Amino acid sequence: MAKSPELVIYDLDGVITDTAEFHYLAWKNLAEQLGILIDRNFNEQLKGISRMDSLDRILELGSSAKPFSYEEKVELATRKNSYYLELIEEITPDHILPGIKNFLQENKEANIKIALGSASKNAPLILEKLGLSHYFDYVVDAGKVKKGKPDPETFTAAADALGVSYSNCIGIEDAAAGVEAVNRANMFSVGVGDRTHLAHAHYLVNETSELDFQKIIQQFQKWRQAY
């Protein structure tokens, strides 16, 4: 009999909701205060990585000869987060991406555990605002891991907390760093987005509305048999 997965781990931004625009506006605001200009194209580099790693990439664009101390970087990252928190005050269940609520419901009805693996420290707050907290058995946010994506720790931490073998997990991601993290965790990776960036995913769809729970289970089972 084909092996069924025991845990599905969801990324937050770009899979459950899209707060990328809020992150971009918050980073842009901070960068402008530092005399640094960033655009949406540059912002693509920041998807799926931690707040401090994002800050480092922005600071590398600056021409300042003065290096920032760790304490100064923490202050800057905290300031950015305060801008972001102001922006996400307007998030409601209407911001859930197409097809995701039904997908989560099917996941729940199949008695397969559900976890969140996010680079955002605000993940629990956002789930609450979206009205989705009750679906999740465990939430991994940036505060629970030492190494962010593409390191696999975000995904392995969820599996470890719920007592599930890595090869019995599915990870759903929209960022290249996230798909890499799932693969490095020896889990089945589902990519949502452009093949140009996500060709390394085991299974790929263009957008969340194309996520088909039964089809993904079947693809997982084929992968697991060849594992």
Side-chain angles (χ1 to χ4, degrees), residues 74-146:
V74 168
E75 190 279 323
L76 289 172
T78 302
R79 200 191 311 171
K80 177 267 175 180
N81 193 50
S82 69
Y83 300 147
Y84 174 72
L85 289 174
E86 289 173 18
L87 290 164
I88 64 169
E89 276 301 312
E90 64 184 76
I91 286 184
T92 70
D94 290 337
H95 289 88
I96 300 169
L97 286 172
I100 287 298
K101 194 164 186 181
N102 287 340
F103 193 90
L104 282 167
Q105 188 61 37
E106 282 193 71
N107 190 158
K108 197 80 170 175
E109 289 171 358
N111 291 317
I112 296 170
K113 292 175 182 176
I114 301 174
L116 191 77
S118 174
S120 173
K121 289 183 179 178
N122 301 303
L125 171 65
I126 294 170
L127 279 185
E128 189 178 323
K129 284 182 167 293
L130 293 170
L132 297 176
S133 300
H134 63 286
Y135 283 105
F136 289 84
D137 299 294
Y138 193 73
V139 174
V140 177
D141 60 32
K144 291 181 179 173
V145 295
K146 293 178 180 177

Side-chain angles (χ1 to χ4, degrees), residues 1 10 17 22 26 35 46 49 62 68 71 97 99 113 134 136 143 153 167 171 179 182 184 187 189 196 202 204:
M1 187 175 174
Y10 296 72
T17 188
F22 299 133
L46 308 183
I49 65 173
F68 288 87
E71 289 74 18
L97 286 172
K113 292 175 182 176
H134 63 286
F136 289 84
E153 186 183 4
S167 61
V179 170
V182 177
R184 287 172 62 185
M187 299 177 181
S189 58
T196 308
H202 294 120
L204 183 64

Side-chain angles (χ1 to χ4, degrees), residues 2-5 167 169-170 187-191 201-205 210-227:
K3 179 77 177 176
S4 291
S167 61
C169 298
I170 294 172
M187 299 177 181
F188 181 76
S189 58
V190 176
H202 294 120
Y203 181 76
L204 183 64
V205 296
E210 296 176 8
L211 288 168
D212 182 313
F213 188 76
Q214 294 305 323
K215 193 174 286 186
I216 288 171
I217 297 301
Q218 289 168 8
Q219 292 301 315
F220 165 84
Q221 289 172 337
K222 288 180 182 177
W223 172 81
R224 192 69 174 78
Q225 285 172 345
Y227 185 77

